[in-house]
Amino acid sequence: MMDPVSERLKQHYGNAFATHGATARGVDWGRDDDVRLRYAKMLAVLDGFEGGSVPSLLDVGCGYGGLLDYASASGVSLRYTGIDLCEPMVLEGRRRHPEARFEVGDILDFGAACGYDAVVCNGILTQKLDTSIAEMNRFAGRLIPRLFALCRHAAAFNVMTTRVNFMAPNLYYRSPIEMLAYCIDQVTPRVRIDHAYPLFEYTVYLHRTGDGPGPA
Ligand SMILES: C[S@@+](CC[C@H](N)C(=O)[O-])C[C@H]1O[C@@H](n2cnc3c(N)ncnc32)[C@H](O)[C@@H]1O
């Protein structure tokens, strides 16, 4: 059975895509400039990667593959796999990038045959909708360790910051201080947080032993 939060998000993003198509609004993700900045933050997951070949990257909640559009336009080569709950988005991703792999599914049920050099998750921890904060915290507690389990070099995800002067009731906010403590205690001590860009969110980078900051 699909996680109830995934089920709710599937409905929400399915409606957005049916209304607005393959655009930032179609994945309910703000303005085009904001989306490009987020893609740049996601690709920073590859900082320090020394695999010697084109990195494999799993894009969790990939939408229609906007990250791959951005990477290709920026000259970044990837062995790309995207996964998303919404089939119409995945079909659009396959149409735009026949060379890449796009899967329909819930990352919480995704049985990956192998790991990926990098895993990114751009925008899943954003819409709370009518779900309770406790329920979203439970969902995040399943999602974050899953992202890390699938990566060989590093995983990155973003979430809205509580350091704001207004909070919309339908969005999900997490304190960066509490998130840092959670990641160090429950996931890995090798964590970076980028809270220094002009959106109401931050990006967390979870590194494998040996290639990130933190104790040995
Ligand atoms: C804000 S949109 C961002 C889409 C894409 N990352 C982008 O930046 O263009 C979030 C996406 O996550 C997908 N999603 C939400 N929960 C998911 C889950 N549990 N597994 C896979 N995809 C999920 C939604 O269907 C939606 O397309």
Side-chain angles (χ1 to χ4, degrees), residues 64-131:
Y64 59 89
L67 176 68
L68 187 53
D69 294 349
Y70 177 85
S72 305
S74 309
V76 176
S77 299
L78 298 172
R79 285 182 289 135
Y80 178 95
T81 302
I83 177 169
D84 202 285
L85 293 166
C86 294
E87 186 170 20
M89 294 185 189
V90 165
L91 294 178
E92 174 63 14
R94 286 183 190 148
R95 192 191 66 76
R96 294 162 95 97
H97 297 283
E99 76 293 354
R101 211 174 131 212
F102 283 88
E103 306 276 345
V104 182
D106 183 343
I107 189 59
L108 300 179
D109 302 326
F110 181 56
C114 58
Y116 298 83
D117 293 321
V119 176
V120 300
C121 177
N122 179 9
I124 292 189
L125 294 176
T126 303
Q127 288 288 342
K128 184 174 81 58
L129 307 171
D130 52 8
T131 305

Side-chain angles (χ1 to χ4, degrees), residues 8-172:
R8 188 73 186 84
L9 294 175
K10 180 179 175 182
Q11 188 185 37
H12 172 78
Y13 287 107
N15 289 341
F17 195 70
T19 310
H20 301 291
T23 61
R25 285 185 78 192
V27 289
D28 195 13
W29 212 196
R31 298 179 309 135
D32 288 346
D33 284 354
D34 298 350
V35 167
R36 278 191 290 274
L37 178 54
R38 292 188 177 111
Y39 290 151
K41 295 296 171 188
M42 288 296 126
L43 292 184
V45 73
L46 294 169
D47 289 357
F49 174 72
E50 289 173 354
S53 60
V54 175
S56 59
L57 180 141
L58 176 67
D59 186 4
V60 176
C62 61
Y64 59 89
L67 176 68
L68 187 53
D69 294 349
Y70 177 85
S72 305
S74 309
V76 176
S77 299
L78 298 172
R79 285 182 289 135
Y80 178 95
T81 302
I83 177 169
D84 202 285
L85 293 166
C86 294
E87 186 170 20
M89 294 185 189
V90 165
L91 294 178
E92 174 63 14
R94 286 183 190 148
R95 192 191 66 76
R96 294 162 95 97
H97 297 283
E99 76 293 354
R101 211 174 131 212
F102 283 88
E103 306 276 345
V104 182
D106 183 343
I107 189 59
L108 300 179
D109 302 326
F110 181 56
C114 58
Y116 298 83
D117 293 321
V119 176
V120 300
C121 177
N122 179 9
I124 292 189
L125 294 176
T126 303
Q127 288 288 342
K128 184 174 81 58
L129 307 171
D130 52 8
T131 305
S132 69
I133 293 172
E135 184 65 352
M136 283 302 293
N137 288 343
R138 179 200 59 77
F139 176 74
R142 288 191 72 192
L143 178 67
I144 296 166
R146 182 97 188 99
L147 302 175
F148 189 60
L150 289 167
C151 81
R152 283 191 291 259
H153 166 69
F157 64 93
N158 50 23
V159 60
M160 313 239 349
T161 179
T162 50
R163 293 298 208 261
V164 286
N165 56 13
F166 171 78
M167 288 193 198
N170 59 313
L171 299 181
Y172 178 59

